[in-house]
Amino acid sequence: MRLNLLKIFIIIVTLLYQSTAYSKTTDKNEFNHKYLSNYFSALLSYDNQNNARALEYFNSSKSLLNKHDKFLKKYVFSLVVDGQVSKAIKQIKYSKNENNSNNFETNLLLVLDSLNKKDFIKTSELLIDLEVFKEDGTYEFIIYETLKSYNHLFLNGIIERPNQNFGRLSLITNAFQNCFLNSNKTKSHFINLINSVEGDYSRYLFFYLANVIENKDYESAIQIASTIDPLTSELLITQTKKWIDQLNFKKFKKYFSCKQETDILGEFFFLISNLYSSQEEYKKSNFYLNISNYLNPKFYFNLSLLAEDYLFNGNFDLSRKVLEKFDEKDEIYNWYKIKKIAQIIDKQQNNDQSLKFVENKFLKFKKPSTRILFDMANIYKNYKKYKKAIEYYSIVLSQIDENSDAYADTLYRRGSSYERLGQYQKSDSDLLQSLKISPEDPYVMNYLAYSWLERNYKIEEAIQMLERAYEQKKNDPYIIDSIGWGYYLIRDYINAEKYLKQAVQLMPDDPIVNDHYGDILWKLGRKLQAKYFWENALNFETTKNDLKKNILKKLLKGFKET
């Protein structure tokens, strides 16, 4: 922050010097201290992620536009982040001269304007200007090379042999380019991408199905959709399944077509936006996301990333404004909107108001999908309304395949809800049944084994189960804590300390882990260290009252007397 302020101070001093010299030959009103003050405020707001305020100040100091490259760049950037891409492009054209468009972003917007107008010859010329800045960064290089490749395709109807290999990004580009040409290789490219073990590329199932449907192969679309898991698939794919199950094939062309140049480019820039978001560079993520929306405004589902970015950064009003754009007719995204608004209410008001909001909205669904019922069960479980959670998990179980991973997962969730109510027989039954469907699932084994340990039930079997879970997830602090506590219960304090020490290192702010480690250290005679970890656990905000009372007793009377 100090570095940014220093940079801004240097700019202001420079401008003040320039304005003094310039005022000798120019009208004083054209370049005065008021503009400089507004510009200074704009830069501060810009650096503090307050884009709306930055735009206000930029608009109040526009006399600097034709004189300073950095002003134009940041003003244009702020316009795009605000969703005003067309206005940003007009401003660049109005202000364009040799000095003030000397950056990647302004030249990129001119290229995209030309592509949007399908003037591919002019795009070729503008790409020459953009090439100068392709070495500015890795993503700038990728964007330039990819746009050059796409423009060659649009202009000549031929896929250009790539000079660069960008890994999975190149495979995605190749799939869309074949799809644009409706090549017979389209299917193999998408299938290879979707089935890749190097990451989750299930999103591209939507685009493959859109192509299948555009070619009127409805039977194949229905068959593929039947294999989609409605509980665990991402939003776009769950919505895709919903449309196909309803035989609502027109929805696909309404939102996306491989034959539309800007639709494909919009998806490319959504990917770039995602890459920036994953690195927590939210300003740049929102910049490219708004470019994606400019190129294909029909595909408004991508705005979920913008809503998430705003929510993560505490911009609740902006997040809610974006969420309100989701249509009630698109059930899965409408439900997503409801859940996210409930999160905002939870942060701005309280849990009760949040849950009340979700319940009221949920009751308006005449026939909620399995996904919505599943989510509602999870919401009740998160709010510790375990009886209601069990009710909805039971409905979900009646609607899905008994041999599926989703069935096993739902049994695990219902079983853990029974456990929280002290209904251990029903809990064990669900968890053991889950393990029959999905043997050796580390998280189910951990939950069941820890439940047994707490009940002093089947201790040896529980420890064996935890050892198998640990072999699969050696860095999971919850599993490590469980196995350490198991050894503690059988008085193997040496092994217990080894595991709990690792758990504390992985999860230093967890009150239960600190409490467990304190207990083990006390048993090993390391009483000062034990008190240190008990006091840690006592002072955490997340420590529950029952645990606090127990720790206070240990600190006052010693462990043996509690």
Side-chain angles (χ1 to χ4, degrees):
M1 183 65 186
R2 288 182 178 178
L3 184 60
N4 286 335
L5 286 171
L6 181 60
K7 288 178 180 177
I8 293 168
F9 176 75
I10 291 169
I11 291 169
I12 296 301
V13 169
T14 304
L15 290 174
L16 283 168
Y17 172 78
Q18 290 176 344
S19 68
T20 303
Y22 195 73
S23 64
K24 294 177 181 179
T25 56
T26 308
D27 191 315
K28 291 180 183 178
N29 291 328
E30 186 180 18
F31 198 84
N32 61 31
H33 294 287
K34 180 181 177 182
Y35 295 138
L36 294 177
S37 175
N38 286 333
Y39 184 38
F40 179 71
S41 299
L43 293 175
L44 281 175
S45 299
Y46 179 90
D47 285 334
N48 288 326
Q49 311 267 352
N50 191 339
N51 193 67
R53 183 62 61 85
L55 266 181
E56 287 179 21
Y57 286 121
F58 277 131
N59 284 324
S60 300
S61 52
K62 285 175 72 173
S63 67
L64 303 178
L65 249 156
N66 294 325
K67 301 176 180 66
H68 298 281
D69 175 42
K70 288 185 178 179
F71 182 98
L72 178 65
K73 178 182 176 179
K74 293 192 175 185
Y75 178 52
V76 163
F77 198 99
S78 291
L79 284 171
V80 173
V81 170
D82 196 51
Q84 301 183 60
V85 181
S86 295
K87 184 176 179 180
I89 292 168
K90 286 179 183 177
Q91 188 64 68
I92 295 166
K93 289 179 178 179
Y94 175 77
S95 307
K96 187 167 174 58
N97 60 49
E98 324 184 320
N99 298 318
N100 68 358
S101 59
N102 194 28
N103 61 78
F104 182 82
E105 288 81 5
T106 53
N107 282 280
L108 172 64
L109 288 168
L110 293 175
V111 169
L112 296 177
D113 176 56
S114 183
L115 282 166
N116 199 30
K117 293 173 179 175
K118 300 192 177 187
D119 189 345
F120 306 124
I121 294 174
K122 186 177 180 182
T123 301
S124 299
E125 297 170 1
L126 291 168
L127 280 167
I128 295 170
D129 295 334
L130 186 65
E131 186 178 13
V132 177
F133 307 99
K134 73 176 184 179
E135 303 294 341
D136 282 6
T138 302
Y139 291 154
E140 285 81 359
F141 184 78
I142 290 170
I143 290 168
Y144 167 77
E145 291 291 341
T146 304
L147 288 179
K148 181 183 171 187
S149 172
Y150 271 122
N151 193 59
H152 184 274
L153 171 70
F154 302 152
L155 190 60
N156 303 300
I158 301 170
I159 297 174
E160 184 180 33
R161 188 172 181 178
N163 296 322
Q164 304 289 335
N165 182 0
F166 301 126
R168 287 287 145 187
L169 214 159
S170 292
L171 293 180
I172 293 167
T173 299
N174 205 13
F176 279 110
Q177 290 188 346
N178 276 275
C179 191
F180 177 77
L181 296 175
N182 205 19
S183 158
N184 55 15
K185 295 179 181 179
T186 302
K187 178 179 178 179
S188 62
H189 283 299
F190 272 118
I191 294 300
N192 288 337
L193 188 61
I194 293 160
N195 293 329
S196 172
V197 295
E198 295 180 17
D200 182 9
Y201 297 94
S202 58
R203 170 184 176 83
Y204 296 98
L205 181 58
F206 167 83
F207 301 103
Y208 172 58
L209 283 168
N211 181 248
V212 168
I213 290 166
E214 195 161 10
N215 287 312
K216 302 188 186 306
D217 188 359
Y218 302 124
E219 284 188 21
S220 292
I222 292 168
Q223 191 279 322
I224 294 168
S226 69
T227 66
I228 295 172
D229 183 349
L231 302 189
T232 59
S233 297
E234 67 160 77
L235 275 175
L236 182 60
I237 302 307
T238 306
Q239 184 65 72
T240 298
K241 177 177 174 60
K242 187 73 178 178
W243 287 331
I244 294 175
D245 288 348
Q246 295 173 335
L247 304 181
N248 196 351
F249 301 117
K250 291 181 180 179
K251 282 281 190 179
F252 289 84
K253 194 170 183 179
K254 176 182 176 182
Y255 296 120
F256 182 88
S257 171
C258 270
K259 295 175 183 177
Q260 291 293 324
E261 295 89 347
T262 50
D263 286 8
I264 296 173
L265 291 172
E267 177 57 24
F268 168 69
F269 280 102
F270 174 73
L271 177 59
I272 296 296
S273 174
N274 246 312
L275 291 171
Y276 275 116
S277 181
S278 67
Q279 296 174 0
E280 297 186 5
E281 291 192 44
Y282 296 112
K283 278 201 297 189
K284 283 199 172 183
S285 174
N286 293 346
F287 177 83
Y288 286 107
L289 186 57
N290 278 293
I291 284 177
S292 173
N293 191 49
Y294 161 76
L295 292 165
N296 184 10
K298 308 183 301 294
F299 205 79
Y300 77 110
F301 310 113
N302 285 345
L303 293 175
S304 59
L305 179 61
L306 186 60
E308 296 281 1
D309 284 354
Y310 283 142
L311 185 58
F312 181 83
N313 287 292
N315 296 323
F316 300 130
D317 291 341
L318 287 175
S319 181
R320 192 161 185 165
K321 184 179 178 181
V322 173
L323 289 166
E324 293 296 349
K325 295 179 181 180
F326 291 110
D327 195 332
E328 289 186 6
K329 293 177 183 177
D330 297 318
E331 182 185 271
I332 301 301
Y333 276 90
N334 180 42
W335 176 242
Y336 164 79
K337 171 179 71 176
I338 291 166
K339 290 192 298 177
K340 288 298 168 185
I341 292 175
Q343 283 186 28
I344 293 170
I345 293 171
D346 184 58
K347 291 178 182 296
Q348 291 184 323
Q349 298 180 38
N350 55 56
N351 291 348
D352 292 338
Q353 291 300 315
S354 175
L355 182 59
K356 186 178 179 180
F357 172 81
V358 175
E359 287 178 320
N360 289 337
K361 294 291 183 180
F362 173 73
L363 292 173
K364 292 180 181 179
F365 287 91
K366 293 179 181 178
K367 192 178 179 182
S369 66
T370 307
R371 174 62 171 263
I372 292 175
L373 292 166
F374 180 70
D375 285 348
M376 199 66 215
N378 290 331
I379 289 167
Y380 277 125
K381 187 171 185 284
N382 289 337
Y383 282 106
K384 300 181 181 180
K385 308 287 185 182
Y386 298 115
K387 288 183 179 179
K388 294 292 287 184
I390 289 165
E391 177 187 338
Y392 284 104
Y393 284 134
S394 299
I395 297 171
V396 170
L397 289 167
S398 71
Q399 295 182 1
I400 58 178
D401 180 3
E402 293 182 3
N403 297 309
S404 66
D405 289 339
Y407 197 88
D409 181 54
T410 308
L411 279 171
Y412 165 48
R413 292 168 186 269
R414 189 177 71 172
S416 58
S417 298
Y418 277 128
E419 189 272 339
R420 301 314 296 166
L421 291 173
Q423 298 182 31
Y424 300 122
Q425 189 173 353
K426 289 182 178 180
S427 173
D428 289 358
S429 176
D430 273 359
L431 296 172
L432 289 167
Q433 181 62 25
S434 177
L435 287 171
K436 283 183 182 178
I437 300 166
S438 184
E440 301 297 295
D441 183 290
Y443 298 110
V444 179
M445 287 195 294
N446 177 60
Y447 197 97
L448 178 60
Y450 191 79
S451 173
W452 286 353
L453 291 176
E454 285 195 319
R455 288 182 265 155
N456 202 27
Y457 176 67
K458 295 186 177 182
I459 301 295
E460 293 290 343
E461 189 176 339
I463 291 174
Q464 290 172 14
M465 203 182 294
L466 287 168
E467 286 173 340
R468 298 201 303 275
Y470 176 74
E471 284 304 311
Q472 296 179 62
K473 299 288 181 182
K474 290 189 175 181
N475 289 317
D476 187 292
Y478 295 103
I479 291 174
I480 295 167
D481 173 67
S482 296
I483 193 170
W485 195 241
Y487 280 118
Y488 169 84
L489 291 176
I490 61 170
R491 300 183 181 183
D492 184 349
Y493 303 129
I494 302 298
N495 266 321
E497 195 274 338
K498 179 181 75 174
Y499 286 108
L500 261 299
K501 182 178 180 180
Q502 187 183 356
V504 166
Q505 289 170 344
L506 290 169
M507 208 159 45
D509 297 328
D510 186 274
I512 293 174
V513 172
N514 277 267
D515 179 52
H516 283 175
Y517 194 43
D519 290 355
I520 291 164
L521 291 170
W522 183 277
K523 290 292 186 181
L524 289 170
R526 293 153 63 179
K527 296 184 178 182
L528 283 176
Q529 288 176 282
K531 288 181 178 180
Y532 171 82
F533 284 98
W534 285 337
E535 286 170 354
N536 270 356
L538 190 64
N539 292 323
F540 292 137
E541 291 182 7
T542 56
T543 307
K544 294 180 180 178
N545 288 332
D546 288 347
L547 182 58
K548 284 183 178 181
K549 289 177 183 178
N550 190 32
I551 291 170
L552 281 171
K553 285 181 183 178
K554 287 186 282 192
L555 287 168
L556 291 171
K557 299 180 181 180
F559 189 47
K560 290 180 181 179
E561 286 76 21
T562 60

